[in-house]
């Protein structure tokens, strides 16, 4: 087998492995970003445990076909693309990319796959607005705690009022 074909086959296998393992995969167009901006984005991704990598579009198309993602086709997967693979929190890559785009509008969301569902640009933006898991848990606990706290305050107020009437 030709050496170039072996290398490309290895890259396709790497992409297939990442696509299978990832809970979310977001494709962005990074054209126009400076080296410093890309370095800053890579740092944010690395800190969140997200793989952010640039691959040749043809190799990504082949890997996507192998795992059954037919939306990564010749029409949508064109230009200077980078892919963010999120493994734990499916919303994290979208949230980080959306926050980065707010400060660096040259970066463009293109598409993605989150937990097996294909998302277009607007759907990814909507997904990015979902609070993190920790924030949602805190809100849930706060709403569960509120009735109990209100009841405790009410009982305390009744007890204080009864003490004042006795005195």
């Amino acid at each position: 087998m030709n050496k170039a074909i072996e290398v490309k086959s290895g890259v396709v296998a790497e992409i297939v492995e990442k696509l299978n393992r990832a809970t979310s995969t977001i494709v962005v167009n990074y054209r126009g970003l400076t080296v410093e901006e890309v370095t800053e984005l890579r740092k944010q991704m690395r800190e969140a445990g997200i793989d952010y990598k640039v691959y040749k579009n043809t190799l990504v198309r082949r890997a996507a076909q192998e795992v059954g993602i037919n939306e990564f086709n010749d029409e949508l997967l064109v230009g200077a693309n980078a892919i963010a693979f999120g493994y734990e929190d499916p919303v994290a890559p979208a949230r980080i990319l959306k926050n980065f785009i707010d400060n660096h509008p040259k970066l463009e969301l293109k598409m993605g796959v989150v937990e097996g569902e294909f998302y277009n640009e607007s759907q990814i933006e909507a997904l990015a607005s979902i609070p993190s898991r920790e924030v949602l848990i805190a809100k849930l606990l706060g709403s569960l705690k509120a009735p109990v706290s209100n009841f405790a305050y009410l009982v305390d107020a009744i007890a204080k009022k009864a003490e004042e009437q006795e005195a």
Side-chain angles (χ1 to χ4, degrees):
M1 191 186 301
N2 186 340
K3 182 72 172 168
I5 292 174
E6 286 181 31
V7 170
K8 289 179 182 180
S9 296
V11 172
V12 169
E14 174 186 331
I15 299 169
V16 165
E17 185 269 327
K18 287 182 180 193
L19 287 171
N20 284 329
R21 204 175 63 159
T23 57
S24 64
T25 304
I26 310 293
V27 179
V28 294
N29 180 343
Y30 65 90
R31 186 174 307 245
L33 292 180
T34 64
V35 173
E36 292 82 19
E37 292 169 335
V38 172
T39 303
E40 177 186 342
L41 178 58
R42 285 182 188 274
K43 181 180 180 237
Q44 289 177 19
M45 293 289 193
R46 195 171 31 255
E47 288 171 353
I50 299 166
D51 283 344
Y52 177 81
K53 202 137 185 212
V54 176
Y55 292 106
K56 289 186 70 151
N57 290 333
T58 55
L59 301 179
V60 173
R61 279 188 219 110
R62 282 190 193 143
Q65 285 175 348
E66 281 189 36
V67 297
I69 304 172
N70 298 323
E71 292 84 2
F72 286 16
N73 56 35
D74 292 343
E75 294 173 18
L76 296 176
L77 201 59
V78 294
N81 297 313
I83 304 176
F85 299 95
Y87 302 111
E88 293 173 18
D89 181 3
V91 180
R95 189 177 312 111
I96 291 170
L97 289 166
K98 180 69 175 102
N99 290 340
F100 193 83
I101 288 171
D102 291 342
N103 299 323
H104 306 89
K106 290 180 181 176
L107 185 70
E108 298 174 17
L109 289 172
K110 290 185 85 172
M111 62 187 152
V113 175
V114 180
E115 295 182 338
E117 287 285 319
F118 178 78
Y119 283 70
N120 63 26
E121 176 187 354
S122 60
Q123 292 170 318
I124 293 170
E125 287 180 10
L127 179 70
S129 66
I130 295 173
S132 70
R133 183 175 187 269
E134 293 78 19
V135 170
L136 290 174
I137 289 172
K139 286 182 179 183
L140 175 67
L141 291 176
S143 62
L144 292 174
K145 179 184 160 207
V148 175
S149 297
N150 290 341
F151 180 72
Y153 290 132
L154 178 65
V155 169
D156 186 49
I158 291 172
K160 285 182 182 178
K161 189 172 187 178
E163 286 176 10
E164 288 176 8
Q165 287 179 351
E166 287 179 8

